[in-house]
């Protein structure tokens, strides 16, 4: 009888994890839908240039990922685990710290590590490291949108690419200005 109870208790914990995962997925989908609907127009700056800006979802993703990396790092360095399987948990903690840390760095760099502006037929991308790329919008060969990654990928005639978050304020305006022959909506 005890064996049956233990097996059903384990199944209940597994089912609770599945339900929690599904609830998390529904919440994430709702947040993405709200972020897409809440986009604002591009910010107009000096001399008619329009600039893309990160939206609240990108800010939340950056802060949330950095916060989770810091939390797991704190637990790993200062709290530890008193469970008997603590030595098995250590690699998982390191993986979580690295994954959340890299996610925070990636989202921060794509959101704040570069400035993307356009005016007329000119597209300008400046990085925080001082590099600048200036190209013509008419040189864009294709535009593809990845719903899974939440980004647009612009491919130019010379083969270079530019990835833009679909959650930048103003990205819809920019995509609407791109050559219709290039868009694959």
């Amino acid at each position: 009888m005890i064996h049956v109870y233990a097996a059903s208790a384990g199944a209940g914990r597994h089912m609770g994890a599945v339900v929690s995962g599904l609830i998390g997925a529904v919440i994430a989908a709702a947040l993405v839908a709200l972020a897409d609907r809440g986009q604002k127009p591009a910010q107009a700056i000096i001399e008619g240039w329009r600039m893309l800006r990160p939206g609240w979802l990108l800010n939340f993703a950056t802060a949330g990922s950095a916060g989770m990396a810091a939390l797991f790092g704190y637990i790993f360095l200062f709290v530890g685990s008193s469970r008997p399987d603590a030595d098995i948990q250590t690699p998982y903690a390191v993986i979580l710290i690295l994954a959340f840390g890299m996610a925070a760095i990636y989202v921060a760099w794509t959101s704040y590590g570069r400035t993307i502006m356009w005016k007329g037929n000119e597209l300008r991308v400046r990085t925080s490291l001082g590099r600048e790329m200036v190209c013509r919008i008419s040189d864009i060969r294709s535009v593809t949108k990845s719903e899974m990654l939440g980004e647009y990928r612009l491919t130019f005639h010379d083969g270079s690419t530019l990835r833009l978050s679909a959650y930048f304020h103003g990205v819809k305006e920019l995509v609407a200005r791109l050559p219709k022959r290039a868009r694959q909506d």
Side-chain angles (χ1 to χ4, degrees):
M1 188 65 85
I2 294 174
H3 186 278
V4 172
Y5 174 75
S8 66
R13 276 182 280 180
H14 178 69
M15 188 58 93
V18 170
V19 170
S20 296
L22 290 173
I23 291 170
V26 168
I27 291 171
L31 288 174
V32 167
L34 284 172
D36 191 46
R37 291 190 59 173
Q39 288 185 343
K40 298 177 183 172
Q43 182 179 14
I45 59 171
I46 301 170
E47 299 174 9
W49 285 94
R50 315 258 324 140
M51 184 172 72
L52 299 179
R53 308 179 317 281
W56 65 266
L57 184 64
L58 294 172
N59 294 330
F60 178 76
T62 302
S65 295
M68 291 299 288
L71 174 66
F72 290 129
Y74 176 80
I75 291 169
F76 177 74
L77 292 173
F78 302 111
V79 177
S81 177
S82 60
R83 295 177 46 134
D85 63 344
D87 57 331
I88 296 173
Q89 292 178 351
T90 300
Y92 294 119
V94 171
I95 290 169
L96 287 171
I97 293 165
L98 291 174
F100 280 110
M102 289 175 16
I105 291 168
Y106 176 77
V107 176
W109 174 253
T110 59
S111 300
Y112 295 101
R114 59 193 178 152
T115 303
I116 302 168
M117 301 178 289
W118 77 94
K119 176 181 172 183
N121 192 38
E122 193 172 344
L123 182 66
R124 180 179 293 166
V125 180
R126 291 182 182 156
T127 68
S128 297
L129 302 174
R131 283 190 13 207
E132 182 173 276
M133 177 182 91
V134 179
C135 54
R136 297 168 47 96
I137 289 177
S138 59
D139 288 341
I140 296 173
R141 181 181 62 197
S142 70
V143 178
T144 54
K145 183 177 182 184
S146 170
E147 294 292 337
M148 187 171 119
L149 297 175
E151 68 182 15
Y152 289 96
R153 182 176 178 184
L154 284 55
T155 306
F156 296 88
H157 287 295
D158 66 359
S160 62
T161 60
L162 174 64
R163 293 174 187 242
L164 306 171
S165 173
Y167 305 107
F168 275 136
H169 290 304
V171 75
K172 290 180 181 180
E173 289 175 72
L174 176 58
V175 170
R177 291 194 48 82
L178 301 179
K180 292 197 186 305
R181 62 176 164 64
R183 285 188 268 159
Q184 301 169 1
D185 299 328

